[in-house]
């Protein structure tokens, strides 16, 4: 579907509904295509807790040694300017 700017201004709701139905909606200025109205595809977000049972942590993940190692990595990246 091709719509000029004046038509788009006056019928925006109809044009958006057409795009939502999967129709290609092209906007034109002086008969030349300049833009397209497309439906917004939202990313599906996993609900909280959906990874339960899929992630396994090492028993020492929060040990003083591991924390010191992580802190050293952060400090090294700050010194390198990362």
């Amino acid at each position: 579907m091709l719509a000029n700017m004046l038509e788009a201004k006056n019928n925006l709701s109809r044009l958006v509904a057409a795009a939502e139905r999967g129709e290609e909606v092209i906007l034109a200025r002086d008969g030349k295509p300049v833009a397209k109205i497309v439906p917004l595809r939202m990313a599906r977000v996993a609900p909280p807790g959906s990874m339960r049972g899929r992630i396994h942590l090492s028993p020492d993940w929060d040990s003083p040694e591991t924390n010191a190692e992580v802190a050293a990595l952060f400090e090294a990246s700050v010194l390198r300017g990362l």
Side-chain angles (χ1 to χ4, degrees):
M1 169 186 303
L2 182 67
N4 66 45
M5 290 295 184
L6 182 60
E7 180 186 0
K9 179 180 174 184
N10 294 330
N11 297 297
L12 183 60
S13 295
R14 183 177 61 82
L15 296 173
V16 169
E20 288 175 323
R21 288 190 306 269
E23 293 182 42
E24 184 175 79
V25 179
I26 305 292
L27 302 180
R29 178 179 289 124
D30 297 324
K32 296 178 184 171
V34 294
K36 183 190 294 188
I37 299 176
V38 297
L40 182 62
R41 303 281 185 229
M42 299 297 288
R44 196 174 78 82
V45 177
S50 63
M51 294 299 291
R52 187 179 311 262
R54 295 183 180 185
I55 298 175
H56 302 283
L57 301 175
S58 171
D60 68 342
W61 74 273
D62 194 24
S63 69
E65 295 82 13
T66 302
N67 290 337
E69 189 176 338
V70 171
L73 290 170
F74 276 112
E75 290 170 7
S77 68
V78 168
L79 292 176
R80 287 190 312 237
L82 298 177

